[in-house]
Amino acid sequence: MMKYLLLVTGFLFFSITILHAQTKLPGLDRSPMDMSYYPDQYPLLIIQDKVTEPLVARIIYSRPQKKGRVVFGDLLEYGKVWRLGANEATEINFYTDVKVNDKIILKGRYSMYCIPNVERWTIIINKQTDTWGSYKYNDTDDIIRMDLPVQKQTEITEEFVMAFEKSATGADLIIAWDDVKLNLPIVF
């Protein structure tokens, strides 16, 4: 009986070891997920036990890379809805009511898209969340659309990036990739 128990235990151990060794884990994502907070001292900036700036916004997005490609007009077609990053649609959380383009946006979770063009991009905040890419984008779910002027940069931004920057009325969401930069003003 003892030999039988040892034999079964050995067989199970060997089988589990073989199965574990065959498990293929995913590699590094080519467009890694990133996030940015405002204020960037997440979750709260505390000085002498006093909260000075509560969390206002967080953006979660994936960061495609230029890698020598022509981005605008080729990789991203002008005039077509883009998920504003890679992989899943970009998600923005507002932890308080904010104002974008003179429209109040209630605190909550939203997706973001854009329609890039040469001189202006249409930025879209949409109530549908948890979507992959822009395949299920529906303009009837738009909360806001606004056009922002494209600012050309002399320095190339290799990886797509989004970050908040303090402004006189709240914060600007900076969007940059390749030789393009945009500022989305958020008032709070």
Side-chain angles (χ1 to χ4, degrees), residues 17-99:
T17 303
I18 294 294
L19 286 174
H20 184 342
Q22 292 177 353
T23 302
K24 179 121 177 147
L25 298 175
L28 183 63
D29 192 339
R30 292 179 187 208
S31 298
M33 186 178 289
D34 203 352
M35 65 181 68
S36 181
Y37 292 91
Y38 188 85
D40 62 358
Q41 296 89 357
Y42 175 74
L44 299 172
L45 181 60
I46 302 173
I47 299 174
Q48 297 178 350
D49 297 324
K50 293 181 183 176
V51 176
T52 59
E53 287 188 86
L55 185 61
V56 175
R58 176 185 72 184
I59 193 154
I60 303 171
Y61 65 103
S62 290
R63 300 183 68 183
Q65 301 168 27
K66 182 173 168 59
K67 293 188 174 181
R69 301 178 288 185
V70 175
V71 174
F72 300 107
D74 189 21
L75 181 63
L76 294 181
E77 293 181 57
Y78 287 126
K80 301 259 179 158
V81 173
W82 178 46
R83 61 188 137 199
L84 208 53
N87 304 328
E88 290 188 42
T90 292
E91 179 183 297
I92 191 161
N93 281 346
F94 293 116
Y95 296 95
T96 185
D97 297 350
V98 298
K99 201 181 274 190

Side-chain angles (χ1 to χ4, degrees), residues 127-181:
K127 64 183 172 184
Q128 187 178 36
T129 59
D130 303 316
T131 63
W132 180 265
S134 55
Y135 304 108
K136 293 184 179 181
Y137 167 75
N138 186 337
D139 64 356
T140 61
D141 292 325
D142 289 353
I143 302 293
I144 191 169
R145 280 178 167 238
M146 70 179 292
D147 288 336
L148 295 177
V150 168
Q151 303 168 36
K152 287 294 192 175
Q153 304 182 105
T154 55
E155 192 173 315
I156 299 298
T157 303
E158 178 65 30
E159 297 89 13
F160 177 75
V161 65
M162 299 175 80
F164 294 101
E165 185 175 86
K166 188 174 181 90
S167 71
T169 58
D172 289 344
L173 177 60
I174 309 300
I175 303 166
W177 195 19
D178 197 2
D179 63 346
V180 167
K181 178 181 166 189

